[in-house]
C-alpha cells in the first residue's frame, strides 16, 4: 500500500498579496530574451562592462546578480564567485 505524502507548507512567509491570487491557476509568461552573458550597461551613466556579464536586476525584490552599480543596486548585488586558486578548472566548473 502506497500512501500519498502530506501537502507541503511551502512559502508560508510569502507576501500578504499572495492570498489574492491563491485561487488563480499559475500562468507562464514569456521568457526574457536578454538573459545570459553579454556586454551590458553597468550603471546609470551608460558605462559598458569590459566583457560579458550577467544581466543586472534593477529594482526586482526577488533578483540577485553579480552585475550592477554598487551605488544604486547594492540591495540586489552579490559578489562574483571565484574558484579557489589551487583548484583545477575542470573541478570548479
Amino acid at each position: 500500500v502506497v500512501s500519498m505524502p502530506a501537502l507541503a507548507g511551502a512559502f508560508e512567509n510569502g507576501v500578504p498579496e499572495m492570498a489574492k491570487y491563491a485561487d488563480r491557476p499559475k500562468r507562464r509568461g514569456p521568457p526574457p530574451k536578454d538573459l545570459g552573458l553579454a556586454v551590458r550597461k553597468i550603471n546609470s551613466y551608460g558605462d559598458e562592462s569590459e566583457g560579458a556579464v550577467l544581466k543586472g536586476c534593477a529594482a526586482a525584490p526577488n533578483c540577485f546578480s553579480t552585475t550592477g552599480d554598487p551605488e544604486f543596486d547594492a540591495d540586489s548585488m552579490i559578489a562574483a564567485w571565484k574558484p579557489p586558486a589551487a583548484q583545477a578548472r575542470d573541478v570548479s566548473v
Side-chain angles (χ1 to χ4, degrees):
V1 174
V2 176
S3 64
M4 296 297 289
L7 293 175
F11 301 109
E12 292 176 3
N13 65 340
V15 295
E17 293 83 9
M18 73 180 200
K20 294 190 291 187
Y21 306 101
D23 61 340
R24 297 183 188 178
K26 305 285 187 254
R27 296 180 306 193
R28 294 186 95 175
K33 298 182 186 310
D34 59 348
L35 294 181
L37 294 170
V39 174
R40 301 180 185 277
K41 291 183 180 178
I42 57 172
N43 59 31
S44 59
Y45 304 110
D47 296 333
E48 289 192 344
S49 61
E50 294 181 4
V53 295
L54 295 173
K55 180 180 179 182
C57 290
N62 58 345
C63 178
F64 298 95
S65 179
T66 56
T67 303
D69 186 344
E71 184 177 347
F72 299 104
D73 303 322
D75 291 340
S76 63
M77 285 190 68
I78 56 174
W81 180 80
K82 295 180 181 177
Q87 193 171 29
R89 180 174 168 20
D90 59 331
V91 173
S92 300
V93 178

